[in-house]
């Protein structure tokens, strides 16, 4: 199981890469939109420069921003040409039209990270189309089963329709079930495809997603301090240093 950092913030990326514990970086259009407005590819190049300085050769996922297959293909080729980074993965959201682009990109030798996946069916179709990574959105899968989902009429209408059609059942809103069952299917049929668990909402989601079978968990940097900190560690380190200081007097 590996950790990625889920951000487009250059400072957070640098502070993370300096510590050497992640194996990749994932970005998405909303994460990028949190950064100062500017040239998208220039920002991606700055991320790659940080990778080169601190952790050469780690994974970088950069997401397209279209639902049209032809535009997706064009953007992916532009990203590859402009960025020239051999560990670049193109993030393409799951969708009926997008599957054509995923299949063509995979055939063309691109590493595709099929993202915005919420179900086993989506994950299996993405893997079948040639995606190298499938990003399952842990937090949003869980959100889909929450009462709040029913406060959003449009969302609820499609959810009700999917449940009525038998396309989704209660288990589909349990991220641990979705990830663990997807992992079993991938181990059997798509051993080269890796599950990235994203959409992390709290620090315990990280270990839960890993224990459920995600190959990779991509973590917003705000959770790293929570992950590293433990009150009993603080207690024992303080004790060790105090005892040693007393012994040295
Ligand atoms: C990962 O790469 C995803 O884009 C990201 O984790 C999504 O998180 P969100 O559900 O908080 O938007």
């Amino acid at each position: 199981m590996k950790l990625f950092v889920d951000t487009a913030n250059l400072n957070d990326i640098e502070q993370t890469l300096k510590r050497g514990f992640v194996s990749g970086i994932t970005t998405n259009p909303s994460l990028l939109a949190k950064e100062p407005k500017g040239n998208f590819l220039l920002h991606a190049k700055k991320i790659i420069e940080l990778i080169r300085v601190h952790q050469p050769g780690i994974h970088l996922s950069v997401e397209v921003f279209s639902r049209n297959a032809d535009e997706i293909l064009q953007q992916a080729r532009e990203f590859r040409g402009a960025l020239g980074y051999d560990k670049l993965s193109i993030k393409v959201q799951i969708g009926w039209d997008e599957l054509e682009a995923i299949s063509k990109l995979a055939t063309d030798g691109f590493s595709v990270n099929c993202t915005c996946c919420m179900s086993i069916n989506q994950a299996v179709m993405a893997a079948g189309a040639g995606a190298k990574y499938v990003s399952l959105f842990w937090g949003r899968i869980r959100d889909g089963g929450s009462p709040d989902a029913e406060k959003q009429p449009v969302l609820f209408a499609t959810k009700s329709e999917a449940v009525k059609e038998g396309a989704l059942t209660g288990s589909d809103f349990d991220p641990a079930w979705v990830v663990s069952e997807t992992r079993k299917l991938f181990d059997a049929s798509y051993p080269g495809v890796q599950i990235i668990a994203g959409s992390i909402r709290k620090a315990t989601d990280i270990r839960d997603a890993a224990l459920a079978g995600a190959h990779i968990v991509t973590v917003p940097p705000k959770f790293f301090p929570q992950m590293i900190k433990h009150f009993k560690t603080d207690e024992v380190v303080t004790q060790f240093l105090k005892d040693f200081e007393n012994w040295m007097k």
Side-chain angles (χ1 to χ4, degrees), residues 4-7 25-31 34 61 63 91 113 115-116 118 135-141 143 196-201 218-220:
F4 283 9
V5 60
D6 197 20
T7 184
I25 302 167
T26 52
T27 64
N28 67 42
S30 295
L31 289 173
K34 290 177 180 174
S61 274
E63 190 159 349
K91 276 177 98 175
N113 174 356
T115 191
C116 304
M118 311 289 169
S135 290
L136 284 166
F137 279 29
W138 188 273
R140 290 182 191 254
I141 290 169
D143 293 348
I196 299 176
S199 189
I200 297 301
R201 295 284 186 273
T218 192
V219 181

